[in-house]
Amino acid sequence: MFKSKNYDRSLGYIIEKDYSKIEAHLYDQYKTAHLVITDPEVPKWSVQKEFLKINGMDCQKAVTRYKGREWEAWFSKDYPISDGPYKFNGLPGLVVRVKDRDDNHIFNMVQVKKVHSIFNFVPKNNKKISDQEYRQLVKNEIFSPEDIESINIDRQTGKMGVQLKDGYVTQLDLGQIKKAGKGNEDAELARLLKKSNNPIEKENSK
């Protein structure tokens, strides 16, 4: 189980898009609370006369300033779907690659797959909060041992399995934690489990 969700803790969100209302809903969990934030702001693209073949697909470049960052996207009309990763949509084709100017955040399409059934990933009983409230929560988040649901230590492999109350599961290197020195292990553990301070959306989004 500790290997099943070994990813960046900042990637635990779910994006749901309502095309009829042209808005996106971001679902995230803060501590034990399920949150939903509605976002009506969509990227305003400038399509460029630059072309590139990506994984056999003919792609065209588009740029935008969105949520405080400069973004470069490559979309393909081979898939005439106005959609893409995260909240990136609104182009006349599927976004297969998008990154910010500083290369802090990069999305690459891995697979296009037709599914015959849709699973309901959206959690129930969500608390609606504003974008400003959500940003403030994440900014002021302080990790504490109380956020840990369980710990499993495997001394043979030198790994520590950690499960948090928000559902996040990961494996950590015991050696790395010990290097912090006696008395500093808790602080190092908190540092490793804290969410990123480099969010996709910057505060100066407009």
Side-chain angles (χ1 to χ4, degrees):
M1 180 180 69
F2 291 112
K3 295 180 180 179
S4 64
K5 296 173 67 178
N6 194 10
Y7 50 78
D8 188 330
R9 187 169 169 235
S10 298
L11 301 178
Y13 58 82
I14 295 173
I15 299 291
E16 179 189 43
K17 298 171 185 176
D18 188 333
Y19 297 103
S20 63
K21 297 180 180 179
I22 314 178
E23 63 184 20
H25 306 285
L26 186 148
Y27 295 85
D28 200 0
Q29 190 163 336
Y30 180 80
K31 307 295 183 180
T32 57
H34 293 284
L35 307 176
V36 58
I37 304 92
T38 299
D39 188 354
E41 184 181 353
V42 297
K44 297 178 180 179
W45 298 99
S46 174
V47 177
Q48 309 293 296
K49 292 183 179 180
E50 293 185 43
F51 302 88
L52 182 68
K53 190 173 285 288
I54 301 176
N55 294 333
M57 294 178 288
D58 293 319
C59 299
Q60 188 170 358
K61 183 179 177 180
V63 296
T64 184
R65 178 169 179 80
Y66 181 67
K67 303 295 186 179
R69 295 183 185 272
E70 301 287 341
W71 294 93
E72 172 189 297
W74 293 90
F75 66 94
S76 176
K77 293 181 180 179
D78 292 349
Y79 295 90
I81 303 170
S82 183
D83 205 350
Y86 195 61
K87 300 176 184 178
F88 299 107
N89 56 15
L91 286 165
L94 183 65
V95 176
V96 300
R97 178 182 297 171
V98 61
K99 70 180 186 69
D100 72 299
R101 184 176 60 182
D102 300 319
D103 291 338
N104 286 318
H105 299 278
I106 302 173
F107 296 87
N108 287 301
M109 187 181 73
V110 176
Q111 183 183 40
V112 174
K113 184 177 181 181
K114 184 177 181 180
V115 296
H116 299 285
S117 61
I118 299 175
F119 297 95
N120 186 8
F121 293 103
V122 177
K124 306 297 183 183
N125 303 319
N126 299 286
K127 179 181 179 181
K128 294 182 179 180
I129 63 172
S130 68
D131 183 67
Q132 184 177 1
E133 290 173 324
Y134 176 69
R135 290 175 184 272
Q136 200 65 31
L137 274 178
V138 175
K139 182 179 179 180
N140 297 333
E141 181 184 21
I142 298 176
F143 185 86
S144 73
E146 295 180 357
D147 297 324
I148 298 175
E149 180 72 28
S150 64
I151 291 179
N152 178 31
I153 296 177
D154 188 336
R155 299 194 182 278
Q156 289 185 340
T157 61
K159 299 293 183 181
M160 173 190 287
V162 181
Q163 180 177 358
L164 303 183
K165 291 181 179 178
D166 64 5
Y168 178 70
V169 178
T170 190
Q171 275 193 337
L172 302 176
D173 188 337
L174 279 173
Q176 183 178 355
I177 297 173
K178 290 179 180 179
K179 284 182 181 179
K182 190 174 182 180
N184 298 318
E185 292 93 340
D186 287 346
E188 178 64 11
L189 183 62
R191 185 188 71 81
L192 293 171
L193 293 173
K194 182 175 174 59
K195 287 190 176 182
S196 171
N197 60 357
N198 186 21
I200 296 174
E201 300 179 13
K202 291 187 176 180
E203 290 187 17
N204 56 333
S205 60
K206 296 184 179 179

